[in-house]
Amino acid sequence: MLDIRRLRENFQEIQEKLAHRGEDLSGLDEFAELDRKRRNLIQQSERLKKERNEVSKKIAELKREKKNADAYIVEMRNVGDQIKAFDDELREVEGQLQQLLLQIPNVPHESVPIGEDEEENVEVRKWGEIREFSFEPKPHWELAAETNILDFERAAKVTGSRFVFYKGLGARLERALFNFMLDLHIDEHGYEEVLPPYLVNRMSMIGTGQLPKFEEDVFKIREEDYFLIPTAEVPVTNMHRDEILEADDLPIAYAAYSACFRSEAGAAGRDTRGLIRQHQFNKVELVRFVKPEDSYDELEKLTAHAEKALQLLKLPYRVMNMCTGDLGFSAAKKYDLEVWLPSYQTYREISSCSNFEDFQARRAGIRFRRDQNSRPEYVHTLNGSGLAIGRTVAAILENYQQEDGTIVIPEVLRPYMGGKEKIE
RNA sequence: GGAGGAGUACCCAAGUCUGGCUGAAGGGAUCGGUCUUGAAAACCGACAGGGGCUUCACGGCCCGCGGGGGUUCAAAUCCCUCCUCCUCCGCCA
């Protein structure tokens, strides 16, 4: 959410910056009117409340002295009615204003390239050698079928499309990966491990920006106002919702493994085969709460942590600075890590690392105090996948495949795989 | 799921029956001071925070006793509703 004062005072400038996102911003037109109405109603209501407070005190005095206060009471009855009328209207206006503000995306940082869509994302760097195959490399779902480690057909029977059973060394590989990644981030990068709830309430979804705008993208529980988490970002960021943190505690860094659930509404026909786009997938997520002045350095740090996982796995990737048209709703800046997939002959997203500045913190009320006497300020929040596990499995299968259809297990994972060197 | 009980400021806790000098007693913790070579103890002092409106500013005002609504001239106190925690029962990995 944007700061209402900032929006009021820099309306033109913010409108122009948001326009680069290419979204419909017609709702913004109402802002000035609602903002003016709101402040006007507050002033009228508060003026009467002040009067009521004073007269009520007088009535209390008279009552205590056993004197008659009927004239005042009649007068205040009228004032009370007026207050109620103003407050009813105020509630209405504030509701509208709140809805409007919750729909406005974050303002892109100045270092974000201006562009319409993914075509205009800017490559920041590339890592690793793309392997030359002496044979025709197979897509990961074929490799998985041959080695019998993934079962999409039975998952479709048991649940539906875009679900999968991992079996045998496939299941083991998945487990090895998130253990490897958690260990890396906890032991080497200083994160605290968190295992979060997979269901969250509406306030949490609003806090990180999934709601109210993207309700169709997530799974909702029928009987309760609970949602299946689309990412551990949601529960972990909301851990500190409505809290005032100590400056000494910052930065706070959490690494969380979780399953993630996405409805993939609107993705019909895309990535229908394999592990790339599932309704349920595993992910290790990194979340950081930092001081505002540090957040862009922290974004580089966070991104480097995610990259480290790819480097240790020896998977070639590139880092993309997402342009204004391809930024997430809540992000001020976002790097995508894209891993090389031989069968696609392209790089595919395997991690998103974002700086939300105070956008989520303002929605979720996450603040900190610099010292005992200072007023609370909003923290900056960041998060990034470190990494999406299913896509990492796909990348390993494809990049490590042999001509005979077997897959070499990356060295760093072997201790997690009971010393096995190959899936066959 | 059923039956009870409870949520008050950093923590504990009084007030709620019987609405009005409660813009919330009293402890503890914390901070400052006296005393002391230093510390402890004792004593003295400070200690509601947060949000909003308004103002160039000083300041003024409004809201705040789990959240939200209502009754009333007036609500921590009465009513409704939701949330959370505790106890017992049931069910259950």
Side-chain angles (χ1 to χ4, degrees), chain A residues 52 62 163 225 273 364:
Chain A
R52 184 176 67 182
L62 290 171
F163 287 89
D225 205 20
R273 306 207 67 181

Side-chain angles (χ1 to χ4, degrees), chain A residues 131 133 135-152 167 169-170 173 273-275 340-344 392-408 422-424:
Chain A
R131 183 175 154 201
F133 286 92
F135 56 94
E136 184 64 27
K138 294 171 184 165
H140 65 273
W141 55 87
E142 282 181 23
L143 294 159
E146 285 166 22
T147 47
N148 195 27
I149 57 172
L150 296 176
D151 190 338
F152 292 96
K167 296 194 299 186
L169 285 179
L173 178 61
R273 306 207 67 181
L275 290 172
W340 178 255
L341 286 181
S343 72
Y344 285 74
T392 308
V393 167
I396 288 171
L397 296 183
E398 296 198 3
N399 283 287
Y400 280 86
Q401 64 179 292
Q402 307 300 304
E403 190 160 15
D404 62 2
T406 63
I407 295 110
V408 172
K422 246 186 174 185
I423 297 175
E424 47 197 339

Side-chain angles (χ1 to χ4, degrees), chain A residues 122-283:
Chain A
V122 173
E123 184 181 302
V124 178
R125 60 184 165 270
K126 228 179 218 164
W127 185 94
E129 289 289 314
I130 290 171
R131 183 175 154 201
E132 301 274 357
F133 286 92
S134 56
F135 56 94
E136 184 64 27
K138 294 171 184 165
H140 65 273
W141 55 87
E142 282 181 23
L143 294 159
E146 285 166 22
T147 47
N148 195 27
I149 57 172
L150 296 176
D151 190 338
F152 292 96
E153 291 75 16
R154 290 200 175 96
K157 172 177 70 180
V158 170
T159 306
S161 66
R162 294 197 192 279
F163 287 89
V164 66
F165 281 102
Y166 287 78
K167 296 194 299 186
L169 285 179
R172 183 100 189 237
L173 178 61
E174 184 90 358
R175 180 159 59 91
L177 276 168
F178 60 71
N179 280 328
F180 155 70
M181 289 177 195
L182 280 174
D183 287 351
L184 170 68
H185 298 309
I186 290 153
D187 296 336
E188 307 296 323
H189 298 150
Y191 288 78
E192 183 177 358
E193 183 169 2
V194 170
L195 191 56
Y198 291 180
L199 297 179
V200 294
N201 61 30
R202 183 172 293 272
M203 281 307 292
S204 295
M205 293 291 275
I206 290 170
T208 30
Q210 282 74 21
L211 294 182
K213 244 191 152 174
F214 308 101
E215 188 149 357
E216 62 178 20
D217 293 337
V218 295
F219 288 111
K220 166 107 180 57
I221 299 300
R222 199 172 289 279
E223 315 64 38
E224 297 271 357
D225 205 20
Y226 289 165
F227 300 83
L228 282 164
I229 57 170
T231 157
E233 160 195 351
V234 180
V236 175
T237 305
N238 279 282
M239 275 175 79
H240 294 299
R241 173 148 53 83
D242 296 324
E243 289 184 15
I244 299 174
L245 305 165
E246 303 274 345
D248 290 347
D249 295 338
L250 302 178
I252 294 173
Y254 295 122
Y257 157 78
S258 87
C260 304
F261 304 89
R262 299 190 182 175
S263 73
E264 296 296 345
R270 295 174 61 193
D271 303 310
T272 51
R273 306 207 67 181
L275 290 172
I276 299 301
R277 197 175 296 274
Q278 296 277 295
H279 285 311
Q280 176 189 324
F281 62 96
N282 296 301
K283 181 158 60 67

Side-chain angles (χ1 to χ4, degrees), chain A residues 60-161:
Chain A
E61 270 171 49
L62 290 171
K63 290 271 184 185
R64 248 178 274 119
E65 294 162 13
K66 307 284 185 213
K67 288 182 186 159
N68 187 296
D70 290 354
Y72 285 127
I73 290 175
V74 169
E75 195 190 329
M76 282 307 101
R77 202 169 288 162
N78 183 31
V79 168
D81 290 343
Q82 290 180 56
I83 291 173
K84 188 170 296 176
F86 283 131
D87 281 353
D88 284 347
E89 199 182 340
L90 179 62
R91 221 182 336 255
E92 172 73 23
V93 168
E94 288 203 313
Q96 288 175 24
L97 193 59
Q98 186 71 1
Q99 276 313 304
L100 190 156
L101 288 171
L102 287 174
Q103 305 271 351
I104 302 174
N106 203 355
V107 178
H109 187 249
E110 58 192 13
S111 65
V112 172
I114 292 169
E116 274 184 30
D117 53 33
E118 69 270 13
E119 297 295 318
E120 296 182 75
N121 295 337
V122 173
E123 184 181 302
V124 178
R125 60 184 165 270
K126 228 179 218 164
W127 185 94
E129 289 289 314
I130 290 171
R131 183 175 154 201
E132 301 274 357
F133 286 92
S134 56
F135 56 94
E136 184 64 27
K138 294 171 184 165
H140 65 273
W141 55 87
E142 282 181 23
L143 294 159
E146 285 166 22
T147 47
N148 195 27
I149 57 172
L150 296 176
D151 190 338
F152 292 96
E153 291 75 16
R154 290 200 175 96
K157 172 177 70 180
V158 170
T159 306
S161 66

Side-chain angles (χ1 to χ4, degrees), chain A residues 1-15:
Chain A
M1 195 159 57
L2 303 182
D3 180 8
I4 190 166
R5 252 169 302 207
R6 181 179 165 209
L7 187 56
R8 184 186 301 147
E9 282 157 24
N10 309 289
F11 189 80
Q12 199 78 29
E13 182 200 337
I14 289 174
Q15 198 174 27

